[in-house]
Amino acid sequence: MASLSHLPSILFLVFLYTSINGDSSDQSPITACPSFDCGGVGITISYPFWHQSQQFEHCGYPGFNISCSDQNRMIYLSNDLYPITNINYSNKSLTLAHTRIRPADCPKVPHDTITLDSTPSLFNSTLGNKMLHFFYNCTLYPPSLPHIACLQYGTKQSYVFMEGATPEFDWHRYCESAVSALVSDEAVYGDLVQGFGQALQGGFKLIWKQPNGACQSCEASGGFCGYNNGLHRNFFCICANKRHSTNCYGQGALTTVRPEPHYIYVAIGALIFGGSVIAATVFYFTQKSKVDSYKPV
């Protein structure tokens, strides 16, 4: 029976070994920054984007929160929600559809979409896009200019021009409304007056860039950027072994999930010793039961 006194020590050594090899409070980048399905089958969103439901803590860039529904994935930019039609992680591009524009051969843009100077600091809208300017229901207009025939209302005519190609005229004075919309470069070809509808349906692209400061240092060291309490406060760097305040480097050396070698030897020795004690205990009680069974009555 004295051998049972070793069991608490064995359990402690096993606990010590598991503590050395992993801490449940530390999340690996895989579990801390998981991908998630969004907006239907086969549509997967991953870092640096994060799910809208992660309100107080998230892994990803500020403002890259995605709102998911059964059919849509949306991102909030410039005070509006824009449907995401494609994400290209290799060239860091995001393709968005125009919001509140109904699919039609002759759509009408109800208001200004994202402008070149209104996109968040981590997005660049000047690459891969062109700006279209629309002037609706003009009562006076320069002669001989091609107008959008499908939007003509009585004697009022509507026009569309590429950025930098708008004729000199007081459009804002003689037109009921003027709006601007981004479209991707490849969507603009041929006759703009005839093909503007298709260009609008193609949406536009945004190129995202790496944040400066702590997040940039974190990613350079192999980590992932995370934030607490809101969209951009209380930064932390998610590394392979645990979270760090700035990056995954510690005193010039990259931290790893592997324990130090001497801890490995201690843990292995503890397991061998514990296993030996358990085996001896089992053998002792087995032999003792055999001897007792042969005692004369």
mmCIF file of all heavy atoms in Angstrom, residues 16-39:
data_model
loop_
_atom_site.group_PDB
_atom_site.id
_atom_site.type_symbol
_atom_site.label_atom_id
_atom_site.label_comp_id
_atom_site.label_asym_id
_atom_site.label_seq_id
_atom_site.Cartn_x
_atom_site.Cartn_y
_atom_site.Cartn_z
ATOM 1 N N LEU A 16 2.879 18.840 -14.846
ATOM 2 C CA LEU A 16 4.005 19.701 -15.170
ATOM 3 C C LEU A 16 4.392 19.567 -16.627
ATOM 4 O O LEU A 16 4.671 20.552 -17.317
ATOM 5 C CB LEU A 16 5.200 19.345 -14.270
ATOM 6 C CG LEU A 16 6.513 20.092 -14.543
ATOM 7 C CD1 LEU A 16 6.328 21.573 -14.306
ATOM 8 C CD2 LEU A 16 7.635 19.534 -13.671
ATOM 9 N N TYR A 17 4.354 18.351 -17.135
ATOM 10 C CA TYR A 17 4.720 18.121 -18.524
ATOM 11 C C TYR A 17 3.742 18.799 -19.475
ATOM 12 O O TYR A 17 4.144 19.459 -20.445
ATOM 13 C CB TYR A 17 4.768 16.616 -18.810
ATOM 14 C CG TYR A 17 5.010 16.294 -20.250
ATOM 15 C CD1 TYR A 17 6.277 16.435 -20.808
ATOM 16 C CD2 TYR A 17 3.971 15.859 -21.077
ATOM 17 C CE1 TYR A 17 6.500 16.157 -22.135
ATOM 18 C CE2 TYR A 17 4.190 15.580 -22.414
ATOM 19 C CZ TYR A 17 5.455 15.724 -22.929
ATOM 20 O OH TYR A 17 5.687 15.452 -24.241
ATOM 21 N N THR A 18 2.465 18.632 -19.217
ATOM 22 C CA THR A 18 1.472 19.276 -20.088
ATOM 23 C C THR A 18 1.549 20.783 -19.988
ATOM 24 O O THR A 18 1.308 21.492 -20.960
ATOM 25 C CB THR A 18 0.056 18.804 -19.731
ATOM 26 O OG1 THR A 18 -0.186 19.084 -18.343
ATOM 27 C CG2 THR A 18 -0.099 17.316 -19.979
ATOM 28 N N SER A 19 1.893 21.309 -18.807
ATOM 29 C CA SER A 19 2.014 22.752 -18.659
ATOM 30 C C SER A 19 3.184 23.285 -19.446
ATOM 31 O O SER A 19 3.142 24.377 -20.009
ATOM 32 C CB SER A 19 2.170 23.124 -17.175
ATOM 33 O OG SER A 19 1.041 22.716 -16.443
ATOM 34 N N ILE A 20 4.274 22.505 -19.487
ATOM 35 C CA ILE A 20 5.448 22.939 -20.222
ATOM 36 C C ILE A 20 5.176 22.967 -21.712
ATOM 37 O O ILE A 20 5.574 23.867 -22.429
ATOM 38 C CB ILE A 20 6.651 22.002 -19.915
ATOM 39 C CG1 ILE A 20 7.094 22.191 -18.467
ATOM 40 C CG2 ILE A 20 7.802 22.251 -20.867
ATOM 41 C CD1 ILE A 20 8.148 21.202 -18.033
ATOM 42 N N ASN A 21 4.443 21.959 -22.198
ATOM 43 C CA ASN A 21 4.232 21.831 -23.632
ATOM 44 C C ASN A 21 3.109 22.689 -24.167
ATOM 45 O O ASN A 21 2.983 22.853 -25.361
ATOM 46 C CB ASN A 21 3.959 20.368 -23.988
ATOM 47 C CG ASN A 21 5.238 19.565 -24.056
ATOM 48 O OD1 ASN A 21 5.891 19.518 -25.077
ATOM 49 N ND2 ASN A 21 5.598 18.954 -22.948
ATOM 50 N N GLY A 22 2.269 23.233 -23.333
ATOM 51 C CA GLY A 22 1.206 24.064 -23.856
ATOM 52 C C GLY A 22 0.409 24.701 -22.748
ATOM 53 O O GLY A 22 0.233 24.127 -21.679
ATOM 54 N N ASP A 23 -0.095 25.892 -23.023
ATOM 55 C CA ASP A 23 -0.929 26.631 -22.087
ATOM 56 C C ASP A 23 -2.243 26.913 -22.767
ATOM 57 O O ASP A 23 -2.280 27.511 -23.841
ATOM 58 C CB ASP A 23 -0.235 27.940 -21.692
ATOM 59 C CG ASP A 23 -1.016 28.683 -20.625
ATOM 60 O OD1 ASP A 23 -2.116 28.236 -20.283
ATOM 61 O OD2 ASP A 23 -0.491 29.714 -20.148
ATOM 62 N N SER A 24 -3.346 26.480 -22.182
ATOM 63 C CA SER A 24 -4.654 26.625 -22.810
ATOM 64 C C SER A 24 -5.039 28.077 -22.989
ATOM 65 O O SER A 24 -5.894 28.404 -23.801
ATOM 66 C CB SER A 24 -5.720 25.903 -21.976
ATOM 67 O OG SER A 24 -5.770 26.453 -20.673
ATOM 68 N N SER A 25 -4.409 28.969 -22.244
ATOM 69 C CA SER A 25 -4.746 30.386 -22.374
ATOM 70 C C SER A 25 -4.086 31.025 -23.584
ATOM 71 O O SER A 25 -4.467 32.105 -23.993
ATOM 72 C CB SER A 25 -4.329 31.150 -21.111
ATOM 73 O OG SER A 25 -2.925 31.096 -20.952
ATOM 74 N N ASP A 26 -3.070 30.374 -24.150
ATOM 75 C CA ASP A 26 -2.385 30.905 -25.319
ATOM 76 C C ASP A 26 -2.956 30.257 -26.566
ATOM 77 O O ASP A 26 -2.987 29.045 -26.685
ATOM 78 C CB ASP A 26 -0.878 30.627 -25.237
ATOM 79 C CG ASP A 26 -0.232 31.406 -24.111
ATOM 80 O OD1 ASP A 26 -0.741 32.494 -23.808
ATOM 81 O OD2 ASP A 26 0.751 30.905 -23.542
ATOM 82 N N GLN A 27 -3.395 31.067 -27.526
ATOM 83 C CA GLN A 27 -3.958 30.569 -28.756
ATOM 84 C C GLN A 27 -2.930 30.670 -29.873
ATOM 85 O O GLN A 27 -2.230 31.659 -29.998
ATOM 86 C CB GLN A 27 -5.199 31.364 -29.145
ATOM 87 C CG GLN A 27 -6.390 31.140 -28.234
ATOM 88 C CD GLN A 27 -7.586 31.930 -28.704
ATOM 89 O OE1 GLN A 27 -7.504 33.138 -28.862
ATOM 90 N NE2 GLN A 27 -8.677 31.249 -28.939
ATOM 91 N N SER A 28 -2.847 29.603 -30.671
ATOM 92 C CA SER A 28 -1.978 29.659 -31.832
ATOM 93 C C SER A 28 -2.619 30.542 -32.886
ATOM 94 O O SER A 28 -3.816 30.810 -32.842
ATOM 95 C CB SER A 28 -1.770 28.242 -32.382
ATOM 96 O OG SER A 28 -2.977 27.767 -32.950
ATOM 97 N N PRO A 29 -1.827 31.007 -33.871
ATOM 98 C CA PRO A 29 -2.420 31.835 -34.921
ATOM 99 C C PRO A 29 -3.553 31.146 -35.661
ATOM 100 O O PRO A 29 -4.476 31.792 -36.140
ATOM 101 C CB PRO A 29 -1.224 32.104 -35.847
ATOM 102 C CG PRO A 29 -0.025 32.011 -34.955
ATOM 103 C CD PRO A 29 -0.369 30.936 -33.968
ATOM 104 N N ILE A 30 -3.494 29.801 -35.755
ATOM 105 C CA ILE A 30 -4.542 29.083 -36.477
ATOM 106 C C ILE A 30 -5.860 29.183 -35.739
ATOM 107 O O ILE A 30 -6.914 29.414 -36.341
ATOM 108 C CB ILE A 30 -4.133 27.614 -36.667
ATOM 109 C CG1 ILE A 30 -2.878 27.524 -37.543
ATOM 110 C CG2 ILE A 30 -5.269 26.818 -37.288
ATOM 111 C CD1 ILE A 30 -2.361 26.120 -37.712
ATOM 112 N N THR A 31 -5.849 29.022 -34.410
ATOM 113 C CA THR A 31 -7.090 29.082 -33.647
ATOM 114 C C THR A 31 -7.501 30.509 -33.339
ATOM 115 O O THR A 31 -8.686 30.783 -33.185
ATOM 116 C CB THR A 31 -6.933 28.300 -32.334
ATOM 117 O OG1 THR A 31 -5.836 28.861 -31.581
ATOM 118 C CG2 THR A 31 -6.648 26.839 -32.599
ATOM 119 N N ALA A 32 -6.551 31.425 -33.259
ATOM 120 C CA ALA A 32 -6.880 32.817 -32.943
ATOM 121 C C ALA A 32 -7.341 33.578 -34.176
ATOM 122 O O ALA A 32 -8.080 34.547 -34.060
ATOM 123 C CB ALA A 32 -5.678 33.512 -32.323
ATOM 124 N N CYS A 33 -6.910 33.171 -35.357
ATOM 125 C CA CYS A 33 -7.270 33.855 -36.604
ATOM 126 C C CYS A 33 -7.893 32.864 -37.583
ATOM 127 O O CYS A 33 -7.342 32.629 -38.670
ATOM 128 C CB CYS A 33 -6.047 34.502 -37.234
ATOM 129 S SG CYS A 33 -5.110 35.584 -36.130
ATOM 130 N N PRO A 34 -9.012 32.271 -37.227
ATOM 131 C CA PRO A 34 -9.581 31.249 -38.111
ATOM 132 C C PRO A 34 -10.278 31.860 -39.318
ATOM 133 O O PRO A 34 -10.799 32.972 -39.272
ATOM 134 C CB PRO A 34 -10.591 30.541 -37.203
ATOM 135 C CG PRO A 34 -11.044 31.607 -36.245
ATOM 136 C CD PRO A 34 -9.819 32.467 -36.012
ATOM 137 N N SER A 35 -10.282 31.122 -40.433
ATOM 138 C CA SER A 35 -11.096 31.497 -41.574
ATOM 139 C C SER A 35 -12.550 31.165 -41.279
ATOM 140 O O SER A 35 -12.854 30.366 -40.394
ATOM 141 C CB SER A 35 -10.622 30.749 -42.829
ATOM 142 O OG SER A 35 -9.265 31.030 -43.104
ATOM 143 N N PHE A 36 -13.460 31.774 -42.030
ATOM 144 C CA PHE A 36 -14.877 31.515 -41.795
ATOM 145 C C PHE A 36 -15.643 31.614 -43.104
ATOM 146 O O PHE A 36 -15.275 32.357 -44.007
ATOM 147 C CB PHE A 36 -15.447 32.504 -40.759
ATOM 148 C CG PHE A 36 -15.291 33.956 -41.120
ATOM 149 C CD1 PHE A 36 -16.295 34.647 -41.784
ATOM 150 C CD2 PHE A 36 -14.130 34.649 -40.789
ATOM 151 C CE1 PHE A 36 -16.147 35.987 -42.119
ATOM 152 C CE2 PHE A 36 -13.976 35.985 -41.120
ATOM 153 C CZ PHE A 36 -14.986 36.655 -41.789
ATOM 154 N N ASP A 37 -16.695 30.798 -43.201
ATOM 155 C CA ASP A 37 -17.567 30.834 -44.370
ATOM 156 C C ASP A 37 -18.487 32.035 -44.263
ATOM 157 O O ASP A 37 -18.973 32.366 -43.193
ATOM 158 C CB ASP A 37 -18.385 29.549 -44.466
ATOM 159 C CG ASP A 37 -17.510 28.343 -44.768
ATOM 160 O OD1 ASP A 37 -16.486 28.524 -45.429
ATOM 161 O OD2 ASP A 37 -17.860 27.238 -44.316
ATOM 162 N N CYS A 38 -18.747 32.658 -45.413
ATOM 163 C CA CYS A 38 -19.530 33.896 -45.390
ATOM 164 C C CYS A 38 -20.271 34.054 -46.707
ATOM 165 O O CYS A 38 -19.650 34.059 -47.762
ATOM 166 C CB CYS A 38 -18.608 35.085 -45.148
ATOM 167 S SG CYS A 38 -19.438 36.684 -45.046
ATOM 168 N N GLY A 39 -21.586 34.162 -46.641
ATOM 169 C CA GLY A 39 -22.371 34.466 -47.825
ATOM 170 C C GLY A 39 -22.588 33.313 -48.767
ATOM 171 O O GLY A 39 -22.775 33.509 -49.958
#
